[in-house]
Amino acid sequence: MRVDNGPGGKLLNKRPPKGTPLLISERKHLFQCSNDAQSSKRSNKRKKDKQRFLTKFYKMDEKTRFENGHHPSSFVSNCFFNRKICPGNLTTHFQNLRYGNCVTFNKRAQETEPISVSSIGQDSGLVLDLYLDTSFYSSTTETLGARVVIHDPEETPSPEEHGFNVDSGSEISVSLRQSVIYRLPAPFRDKCIDYKTHQGSSVKNQKDCVKTCIQTENLAKCGCTDKTLNAISSLTQCSLTNQTQMCCLNDVLDKMSSFGPTCDCPLPCRSVSYNELLSKAKWPSNVYILKNFYLFETFERITLD
Protein backbone atom coordinates (compact mmCIF):
# COMPACT_ATOMS: atom_id res chain seq x y z
CA MET A 1 0.00 0.00 0.00
CA ARG A 2 1.29 3.48 -0.89
CA VAL A 3 0.41 6.76 0.80
CA ASP A 4 0.54 9.84 -1.47
CA ASN A 5 -0.35 13.47 -1.08
CA GLY A 6 -3.65 14.14 -2.79
CA PRO A 7 -5.27 17.46 -3.72
CA GLY A 8 -4.95 20.02 -0.95
CA GLY A 9 -2.15 18.08 0.71
CA LYS A 10 -4.47 15.32 1.96
CA LEU A 11 -3.08 11.85 2.37
CA LEU A 12 -4.63 9.27 0.08
CA ASN A 13 -4.20 5.52 0.39
CA LYS A 14 -3.56 3.85 -2.94
CA ARG A 15 -3.67 0.10 -3.24
CA PRO A 16 -1.74 -1.74 -5.95
CA PRO A 17 -3.96 -2.84 -8.84
CA LYS A 18 -5.53 -6.27 -8.56
CA GLY A 19 -4.27 -8.88 -10.98
CA THR A 20 -1.82 -11.71 -11.43
CA PRO A 21 1.49 -11.14 -9.55
CA LEU A 22 4.29 -10.12 -11.90
CA LEU A 23 7.59 -11.92 -12.49
CA ILE A 24 10.89 -10.15 -11.89
CA SER A 25 13.26 -10.49 -14.84
CA GLU A 26 16.63 -12.04 -14.00
CA ARG A 27 18.12 -9.10 -15.92
CA LYS A 28 16.93 -6.71 -13.21
CA HIS A 29 19.28 -8.33 -10.68
CA LEU A 30 22.24 -7.54 -12.92
CA PHE A 31 21.34 -4.05 -14.08
CA GLN A 32 19.96 -1.41 -11.73
CA CYS A 33 18.94 2.12 -12.68
CA SER A 34 19.52 4.95 -10.24
CA ASN A 35 18.92 8.69 -10.32
CA ASP A 36 21.45 9.18 -7.52
CA ALA A 37 24.60 10.49 -9.23
CA GLN A 38 26.86 9.58 -6.30
CA SER A 39 25.43 6.07 -6.08
CA SER A 40 25.78 5.65 -9.84
CA LYS A 41 29.42 6.73 -9.69
CA ARG A 42 30.22 4.18 -6.97
CA SER A 43 28.62 1.32 -8.88
CA ASN A 44 29.80 2.43 -12.33
CA LYS A 45 32.70 -0.04 -12.51
CA ARG A 46 30.53 -2.98 -11.45
CA LYS A 47 27.91 -2.04 -14.03
CA LYS A 48 30.48 -1.86 -16.80
CA ASP A 49 31.89 -5.26 -15.83
CA LYS A 50 28.41 -6.76 -15.91
CA GLN A 51 27.60 -5.10 -19.21
CA ARG A 52 30.76 -6.48 -20.80
CA PHE A 53 29.97 -9.94 -19.50
CA LEU A 54 26.35 -9.80 -20.69
CA THR A 55 27.38 -8.55 -24.12
CA LYS A 56 29.85 -11.41 -24.51
CA PHE A 57 27.39 -13.93 -23.05
CA TYR A 58 24.54 -13.09 -25.43
CA LYS A 59 26.80 -13.14 -28.48
CA MET A 60 27.45 -16.83 -27.78
CA ASP A 61 25.16 -19.50 -29.13
CA GLU A 62 23.58 -21.93 -26.68
CA LYS A 63 26.24 -24.59 -27.22
CA THR A 64 29.10 -22.16 -26.56
CA ARG A 65 27.42 -20.88 -23.40
CA PHE A 66 27.05 -24.43 -22.17
CA GLU A 67 30.69 -25.29 -22.88
CA ASN A 68 31.93 -22.17 -21.08
CA GLY A 69 29.91 -22.97 -17.98
CA HIS A 70 30.25 -25.59 -15.27
CA HIS A 71 29.47 -28.93 -16.94
CA PRO A 72 26.57 -30.76 -15.23
CA SER A 73 28.49 -34.06 -15.09
CA SER A 74 31.23 -32.48 -12.96
CA PHE A 75 28.89 -30.21 -11.01
CA VAL A 76 26.83 -33.21 -9.83
CA SER A 77 29.68 -35.51 -8.82
CA ASN A 78 27.35 -38.14 -7.31
CA CYS A 79 23.61 -38.72 -7.66
CA PHE A 80 21.55 -41.41 -5.91
CA PHE A 81 17.81 -41.95 -5.84
CA ASN A 82 16.31 -44.51 -3.47
CA ARG A 83 19.85 -45.87 -2.83
CA LYS A 84 20.49 -46.44 -6.55
CA ILE A 85 22.52 -44.44 -9.05
CA CYS A 86 20.32 -41.86 -10.76
CA PRO A 87 19.12 -42.93 -14.24
CA GLY A 88 20.87 -40.86 -16.89
CA ASN A 89 17.70 -40.32 -18.92
CA LEU A 90 16.10 -38.44 -16.00
CA THR A 91 18.78 -35.75 -15.88
CA THR A 92 18.49 -32.73 -18.17
CA HIS A 93 19.92 -29.22 -18.12
CA PHE A 94 18.96 -25.66 -19.02
CA GLN A 95 20.65 -22.25 -18.91
CA ASN A 96 19.97 -19.32 -16.63
CA LEU A 97 21.50 -15.86 -16.96
CA ARG A 98 22.18 -15.53 -13.23
CA TYR A 99 23.06 -19.12 -12.31
CA GLY A 100 24.59 -20.46 -15.54
CA ASN A 101 24.21 -24.16 -16.39
CA CYS A 102 21.41 -25.68 -14.32
CA VAL A 103 20.60 -29.37 -13.84
CA THR A 104 17.07 -30.78 -13.61
CA PHE A 105 16.37 -34.25 -12.26
CA ASN A 106 13.14 -36.20 -12.72
CA LYS A 107 11.43 -33.76 -15.10
CA ARG A 108 8.44 -35.22 -16.91
CA ALA A 109 9.00 -35.82 -20.62
CA GLN A 110 7.00 -37.49 -23.37
CA GLU A 111 9.20 -40.58 -23.48
CA THR A 112 9.76 -40.95 -19.71
CA GLU A 113 7.66 -40.96 -16.57
CA PRO A 114 8.98 -39.32 -13.38
CA ILE A 115 9.94 -41.67 -10.57
CA SER A 116 8.66 -41.31 -7.01
CA VAL A 117 9.77 -41.92 -3.43
CA SER A 118 8.32 -45.03 -1.79
CA SER A 119 9.67 -44.54 1.74
CA ILE A 120 11.01 -41.89 4.09
CA GLY A 121 14.33 -41.65 5.87
CA GLN A 122 17.89 -40.51 5.41
CA ASP A 123 18.78 -43.03 2.69
CA SER A 124 15.61 -42.62 0.62
CA GLY A 125 14.80 -39.98 -1.94
CA LEU A 126 17.40 -37.94 -3.81
CA VAL A 127 21.00 -37.60 -2.59
CA LEU A 128 23.38 -35.25 -4.44
CA ASP A 129 27.06 -34.41 -4.06
CA LEU A 130 27.72 -31.03 -5.66
CA TYR A 131 31.19 -29.92 -6.72
CA LEU A 132 31.51 -26.13 -6.75
CA ASP A 133 34.35 -25.40 -9.16
CA THR A 134 35.01 -21.66 -8.96
CA SER A 135 37.14 -21.73 -12.12
CA PHE A 136 33.87 -21.68 -14.09
CA TYR A 137 32.47 -18.67 -12.24
CA SER A 138 32.11 -15.46 -14.24
CA SER A 139 33.80 -12.24 -13.19
CA THR A 140 30.44 -10.82 -12.08
CA THR A 141 29.71 -13.67 -9.64
CA GLU A 142 29.74 -12.37 -6.07
CA THR A 143 28.83 -15.47 -4.06
CA LEU A 144 29.97 -19.10 -3.81
CA GLY A 145 27.34 -21.82 -3.63
CA ALA A 146 24.48 -23.46 -5.48
CA ARG A 147 20.79 -22.75 -5.92
CA VAL A 148 18.32 -25.59 -5.32
CA VAL A 149 14.72 -25.50 -6.55
CA ILE A 150 12.23 -28.25 -5.67
CA HIS A 151 9.33 -28.22 -8.10
CA ASP A 152 6.66 -30.34 -9.73
CA PRO A 153 8.02 -32.60 -12.55
CA GLU A 154 5.67 -30.91 -15.03
CA GLU A 155 6.81 -27.38 -14.20
CA THR A 156 9.78 -25.43 -15.51
CA PRO A 157 11.98 -24.42 -12.55
CA SER A 158 12.43 -20.71 -11.84
CA PRO A 159 15.50 -20.21 -9.61
CA GLU A 160 14.99 -16.44 -9.62
CA GLU A 161 11.67 -16.76 -7.79
CA HIS A 162 11.91 -20.00 -5.84
CA GLY A 163 14.49 -22.17 -4.14
CA PHE A 164 17.17 -21.90 -1.49
CA ASN A 165 20.95 -21.44 -1.47
CA VAL A 166 23.47 -24.02 -0.27
CA ASP A 167 27.09 -23.21 0.52
CA SER A 168 30.23 -25.31 0.28
CA GLY A 169 31.46 -27.51 3.12
CA SER A 170 27.99 -28.38 4.38
CA GLU A 171 25.41 -31.16 4.29
CA ILE A 172 21.81 -30.05 3.78
CA SER A 173 18.87 -32.32 4.58
CA VAL A 174 15.47 -31.38 3.17
CA SER A 175 12.17 -32.87 4.30
CA LEU A 176 9.13 -32.18 2.14
CA ARG A 177 5.38 -32.10 2.37
CA GLN A 178 3.57 -31.95 -0.94
CA SER A 179 0.39 -29.91 -1.35
CA VAL A 180 -1.85 -30.32 -4.40
CA ILE A 181 -4.54 -27.72 -5.04
CA TYR A 182 -7.44 -28.25 -7.44
CA ARG A 183 -9.52 -25.30 -8.66
CA LEU A 184 -12.70 -24.93 -10.69
CA PRO A 185 -13.08 -23.02 -13.98
CA ALA A 186 -15.70 -20.36 -14.73
CA PRO A 187 -18.47 -19.77 -13.79
CA PHE A 188 -17.04 -20.74 -10.39
CA ARG A 189 -15.14 -18.19 -8.33
CA ASP A 190 -11.65 -19.54 -9.10
CA LYS A 191 -12.09 -19.12 -12.88
CA CYS A 192 -9.01 -21.29 -13.36
CA ILE A 193 -7.54 -22.37 -16.69
CA ASP A 194 -6.01 -25.63 -17.83
CA TYR A 195 -3.20 -24.03 -19.80
CA LYS A 196 -2.22 -27.27 -21.52
CA THR A 197 -5.61 -27.67 -23.18
CA HIS A 198 -6.62 -24.00 -23.39
CA GLN A 199 -7.70 -23.17 -26.94
CA GLY A 200 -6.39 -20.15 -28.82
CA SER A 201 -3.27 -19.66 -26.70
CA SER A 202 0.36 -20.65 -27.17
CA VAL A 203 1.30 -20.26 -23.49
CA LYS A 204 1.71 -23.50 -21.57
CA ASN A 205 1.46 -22.23 -17.99
CA GLN A 206 0.68 -19.17 -15.89
CA LYS A 207 4.30 -17.99 -15.84
CA ASP A 208 4.46 -17.92 -19.65
CA CYS A 209 1.21 -15.97 -19.67
CA VAL A 210 2.66 -13.34 -17.30
CA LYS A 211 5.89 -13.13 -19.31
CA THR A 212 3.93 -12.56 -22.52
CA CYS A 213 1.87 -9.87 -20.80
CA ILE A 214 5.01 -8.04 -19.61
CA GLN A 215 6.69 -8.35 -22.99
CA THR A 216 3.66 -6.86 -24.72
CA GLU A 217 3.90 -3.82 -22.45
CA ASN A 218 7.69 -3.67 -22.94
CA LEU A 219 7.23 -3.52 -26.70
CA ALA A 220 4.57 -0.83 -26.45
CA LYS A 221 6.53 1.43 -24.07
CA CYS A 222 10.18 0.72 -24.97
CA GLY A 223 9.96 -0.45 -28.58
CA CYS A 224 11.73 -3.71 -27.71
CA THR A 225 11.40 -6.76 -25.46
CA ASP A 226 13.40 -8.16 -22.54
CA LYS A 227 15.50 -11.01 -23.96
CA THR A 228 15.85 -12.65 -20.52
CA LEU A 229 12.11 -13.31 -20.17
CA ASN A 230 12.06 -15.94 -22.96
CA ALA A 231 8.65 -14.95 -24.31
CA ILE A 232 7.77 -13.62 -27.80
CA SER A 233 11.53 -13.44 -28.36
CA SER A 234 11.01 -13.26 -32.14
CA LEU A 235 10.31 -9.51 -31.81
CA THR A 236 12.94 -6.77 -31.49
CA GLN A 237 14.96 -7.31 -28.33
CA CYS A 238 16.43 -4.59 -26.13
CA SER A 239 20.20 -4.25 -25.88
CA LEU A 240 21.53 -5.19 -22.46
CA THR A 241 24.21 -2.51 -22.78
CA ASN A 242 21.77 0.27 -23.68
CA GLN A 243 21.07 2.09 -20.41
CA THR A 244 18.02 3.91 -21.78
CA GLN A 245 16.36 0.66 -22.82
CA MET A 246 17.29 -1.14 -19.59
CA CYS A 247 15.88 1.67 -17.46
CA CYS A 248 12.76 1.68 -19.62
CA LEU A 249 12.24 -2.05 -18.98
CA ASN A 250 12.67 -1.49 -15.24
CA ASP A 251 10.22 1.41 -15.38
CA VAL A 252 7.63 -0.76 -17.14
CA LEU A 253 7.79 -3.36 -14.35
CA ASP A 254 7.61 -0.72 -11.63
CA LYS A 255 4.59 1.00 -13.19
CA MET A 256 2.77 -2.26 -13.93
CA SER A 257 3.17 -3.36 -10.31
CA SER A 258 1.93 0.00 -9.00
CA PHE A 259 -0.59 1.27 -11.53
CA GLY A 260 -1.20 -1.48 -14.09
CA PRO A 261 -2.13 -2.61 -16.64
CA THR A 262 -2.76 -5.90 -14.91
CA CYS A 263 -2.11 -9.28 -16.49
CA ASP A 264 -5.13 -11.51 -17.03
CA CYS A 265 -3.46 -14.83 -16.22
CA PRO A 266 -5.78 -16.97 -14.08
CA LEU A 267 -4.46 -19.61 -11.72
CA PRO A 268 -4.06 -23.13 -13.12
CA CYS A 269 -6.76 -25.66 -12.30
CA ARG A 270 -4.11 -27.86 -10.69
CA SER A 271 -1.00 -26.65 -8.88
CA VAL A 272 1.60 -28.42 -6.75
CA SER A 273 3.73 -26.86 -4.02
CA TYR A 274 6.22 -28.20 -1.49
CA ASN A 275 6.71 -27.13 2.10
CA GLU A 276 10.44 -27.49 2.76
CA LEU A 277 12.11 -28.01 6.12
CA LEU A 278 15.90 -27.63 5.98
CA SER A 279 18.58 -28.77 8.42
CA LYS A 280 22.31 -28.16 8.04
CA ALA A 281 25.54 -29.73 9.30
CA LYS A 282 29.23 -29.18 8.60
CA TRP A 283 30.72 -31.59 6.05
CA PRO A 284 33.12 -33.30 6.13
CA SER A 285 34.01 -33.67 9.79
CA ASN A 286 37.64 -33.56 10.91
CA VAL A 287 37.51 -37.22 11.95
CA TYR A 288 36.22 -38.25 8.53
CA ILE A 289 39.02 -36.31 6.83
CA LEU A 290 41.67 -37.99 9.00
CA LYS A 291 40.29 -41.46 8.29
CA ASN A 292 40.05 -40.75 4.56
CA PHE A 293 43.10 -38.54 4.17
CA TYR A 294 44.13 -39.95 0.79
CA LEU A 295 40.67 -39.29 -0.64
CA PHE A 296 40.73 -35.63 0.35
CA GLU A 297 44.39 -35.22 -0.60
CA THR A 298 43.53 -36.38 -4.12
CA PHE A 299 40.41 -34.24 -4.21
CA GLU A 300 42.39 -31.18 -3.15
CA ARG A 301 45.02 -31.82 -5.78
CA ILE A 302 42.41 -32.15 -8.52
CA THR A 303 40.70 -28.99 -7.33
CA LEU A 304 43.85 -26.93 -7.36
CA ASP A 305 44.83 -28.13 -10.82
Side-chain angles (χ1 to χ4, degrees), residues 18-286:
K18 294 182 179 180
T20 308
L22 300 178
L23 300 175
I24 302 299
S25 167
E26 53 183 297
R27 167 200 54 79
K28 197 168 183 180
H29 294 284
L30 297 176
F31 192 102
Q32 297 291 333
C33 291
S34 175
N35 295 324
D36 184 354
Q38 186 176 0
S39 175
S40 298
K41 185 177 181 179
R42 287 195 302 265
S43 61
N44 188 48
K45 185 180 183 302
R46 286 181 59 194
K47 283 187 177 182
K48 286 185 177 180
D49 290 341
K50 291 178 181 180
Q51 289 172 0
R52 282 194 291 266
F53 166 74
L54 291 175
T55 301
K56 184 177 180 181
F57 182 83
Y58 269 98
K59 284 183 178 179
M60 301 177 185
D61 55 31
E62 186 173 347
K63 181 180 179 181
T64 305
R65 293 178 194 171
F66 176 79
E67 292 175 347
N68 280 272
H70 197 166
H71 198 280
S73 61
S74 61
F75 172 56
V76 182
S77 58
N78 289 301
C79 178
F80 298 94
F81 189 83
N82 287 344
R83 305 177 187 178
K84 298 179 180 179
I85 297 176
C86 297
N89 62 335
L90 292 179
T91 302
T92 58
H93 68 271
F94 66 96
Q95 293 178 351
N96 179 275
L97 179 61
R98 188 177 187 186
Y99 297 103
N101 291 337
C102 300
V103 180
T104 303
F105 177 74
N106 204 28
K107 182 177 176 61
R108 183 184 293 275
Q110 292 182 352
E111 64 277 5
T112 58
E113 282 291 323
I115 53 181
S116 59
V117 177
S118 57
S119 61
I120 61 174
Q122 184 177 1
D123 295 328
S124 64
L126 180 65
V127 178
L128 299 173
D129 289 338
L130 303 180
Y131 174 44
L132 307 179
D133 189 350
T134 56
S135 64
F136 287 98
Y137 280 38
S138 73
S139 58
T140 61
T141 303
E142 300 176 353
T143 57
L144 170 65
R147 184 75 169 175
V148 179
V149 182
I150 300 174
H151 60 93
D152 184 70
E154 297 187 3
E155 293 182 354
T156 300
S158 180
E160 293 289 331
E161 301 173 78
H162 305 105
F164 53 90
N165 296 329
V166 296
D167 57 358
S168 60
S170 62
E171 179 184 84
I172 308 294
S173 298
V174 185
S175 60
L176 300 174
R177 174 172 292 180
Q178 184 189 63
S179 299
V180 183
I181 300 176
Y182 293 93
R183 303 178 182 88
L184 295 175
F188 297 97
R189 184 180 62 180
D190 292 335
K191 297 181 180 179
C192 69
I193 287 181
D194 186 348
Y195 285 93
K196 293 182 179 179
T197 60
H198 187 56
Q199 298 294 328
S201 176
S202 59
V203 298
K204 300 301 182 182
N205 52 59
Q206 188 187 32
K207 291 180 182 178
D208 287 345
C209 177
V210 175
K211 289 179 181 179
T212 301
C213 171
I214 296 174
Q215 292 285 54
T216 302
E217 192 68 11
N218 285 337
L219 187 64
K221 295 294 191 297
C222 306
C224 54
T225 60
D226 186 344
K227 63 175 62 181
T228 67
L229 282 180
N230 296 324
I232 57 175
S233 55
S234 59
L235 301 177
T236 303
Q237 296 181 336
C238 298
S239 171
L240 291 170
T241 58
N242 186 314
Q243 183 173 356
T244 301
Q245 292 179 346
M246 292 298 100
C247 291
C248 180
L249 294 178
N250 287 354
D251 191 51
V252 167
L253 270 180
D254 293 339
K255 288 184 176 179
M256 287 183 70
S257 61
S258 300
F259 306 104
T262 59
C263 296
D264 183 18
C265 298
L267 290 168
C269 293
R270 178 184 180 273
S271 60
V272 180
S273 61
Y274 297 91
N275 298 320
E276 305 158 357
L277 181 62
L278 277 63
S279 59
K280 178 180 177 181
K282 181 181 178 181
W283 184 92
S285 66
N286 293 333

